[in-house]
Amino acid sequence: ADVQGSLEALKNSLLKIHSKKVRLEIVNADVGEISESDIDLALASKATIVGFHTHIESHAADLIKQKKVQVISHDVIYHLIDEVKERMRSLLDKIEKENDIGTIQVKAVFKSSQLGLIAGCQVEDGVVRRQCLVRQLRGKEILWKGRVGSLKRAKEDVKEVKEGFECGILLDGQSDIKEGDILQAYELTYLEQDL
C-alpha cells in the first residue's frame, strides 16, 4: 500500500473475509511500490500481489508478465476487497445440479445385430433429447446413468421427442434394458459456491 495507515486498513478488511472453504493468508505486507522482490516472493509462495493506492516499479512490470504473477491493484478499498473475494470464490469447485427434463417409459425392447438393444419408449412428460443424460430406474432403484446415444422417431433420427410421443432410444453402453423401466432425462448445470 502507499502508506502504513492504508496498509493496516487493507489488512483488517482482508482478514474480515471469513470462509470455511478457502483460507486467506497474508504472506507479506509492506509500504511502497510493488518491487522485484515482491514478485519473487509472490512467485515462490504462489501468492497474488494486492496493491492499494500504489504502483508497480517500472522494471518490475516486465517481470510480472514474464513470470505470470497475478496482481490485483485498486485505489478504492471495497473494489479491492470485492476482487479478492471473487478470486477466492473462483478457487471453489462448482456444484453439480441435475435438472430433470423428462420421464420416459420403456414399452418394448428390440434387438439390433449392429446396435444392440433399442428401447421402444413413450415420453410421459417433458422431453428427451439426443445426447442428454439419463437415469434408468427399475422399480425404485437407479440401475444405470449415462447418455442417450441415438434417438429415433418413425425410423428418422431426431434431436428431441416431446411428451405424448413414442420413440426409439439407444443408451450409450447399456445392454440391460427391460420393458417397464423408467428413463429420467436430465441436464446438468453447475452452480458457483459462496464463500
Side-chain angles (χ1 to χ4, degrees):
D2 55 349
V3 293
Q4 193 65 38
S6 297
L7 186 66
E8 291 306 316
L10 179 61
K11 279 172 59 177
N12 290 337
S13 295
L14 287 172
L15 293 172
K16 285 180 185 170
I17 301 171
H18 293 289
S19 173
K20 291 180 180 167
K21 301 170 189 171
V22 181
R23 189 176 75 239
L24 183 129
E25 200 173 295
I26 297 173
V27 178
N28 183 43
D30 224 337
V31 172
E33 290 186 323
I34 297 167
S35 66
E36 285 186 23
S37 61
D38 294 327
I39 296 159
D40 290 337
L41 179 61
L43 192 63
S45 57
K46 296 184 175 121
T48 298
I49 296 173
V50 176
F52 177 61
H53 263 290
T54 189
H55 301 287
I56 299 166
E57 288 179 356
S58 57
H59 51 277
D62 292 335
L63 193 60
I64 287 171
K65 288 178 187 165
Q66 181 187 338
K67 303 284 185 183
K68 295 184 171 88
V69 172
Q70 292 187 357
V71 178
I72 302 171
S73 186
H74 285 283
D75 290 335
V76 179
I77 197 162
Y78 64 85
H79 289 168
L80 191 73
I81 302 306
D82 286 347
E83 190 166 341
V84 169
K85 282 181 182 175
E86 194 50 49
R87 298 257 178 129
M88 289 171 70
R89 194 177 294 113
S90 73
L91 295 172
L92 300 173
D93 291 333
K94 290 186 166 84
I95 299 169
E96 199 174 83
K97 185 174 188 282
E98 295 179 0
N99 300 308
D100 290 349
I101 59 170
T103 304
I104 304 103
Q105 179 155 20
V106 178
K107 297 283 192 183
V109 178
F110 308 98
K111 284 186 181 178
S112 165
S113 54
Q114 297 162 337
L115 303 172
L117 292 179
I118 298 167
C121 302
Q122 170 117 27
V123 180
E124 293 189 334
D125 70 66
V127 67
V128 60
R129 296 187 182 104
R130 187 176 10 165
Q131 288 298 309
C132 75
L133 293 161
V134 176
R135 284 180 229 101
Q136 179 187 5
L137 279 73
R138 188 166 293 156
K140 293 187 189 290
E141 181 191 348
I142 295 176
L143 195 66
W144 178 85
K145 277 180 152 184
R147 286 200 179 274
V148 170
S150 173
L151 183 63
K152 292 187 182 284
R153 178 147 167 66
K155 297 186 181 178
E156 295 290 318
D157 281 318
V158 290
K159 288 185 179 178
E160 70 175 33
V161 178
K162 294 182 178 169
E163 185 176 330
F165 291 98
E166 293 183 339
C167 59
I169 296 177
L170 176 70
L171 299 176
D172 261 354
Q174 173 58 319
S175 56
D176 180 13
I177 306 166
K178 291 187 177 164
E179 187 180 325
D181 285 354
I182 298 292
L183 305 177
Q184 294 174 331
Y186 65 96
E187 293 174 333
L188 286 179
T189 52
Y190 295 91
L191 307 172
E192 285 195 0
Q193 294 189 56
D194 282 330
L195 294 175

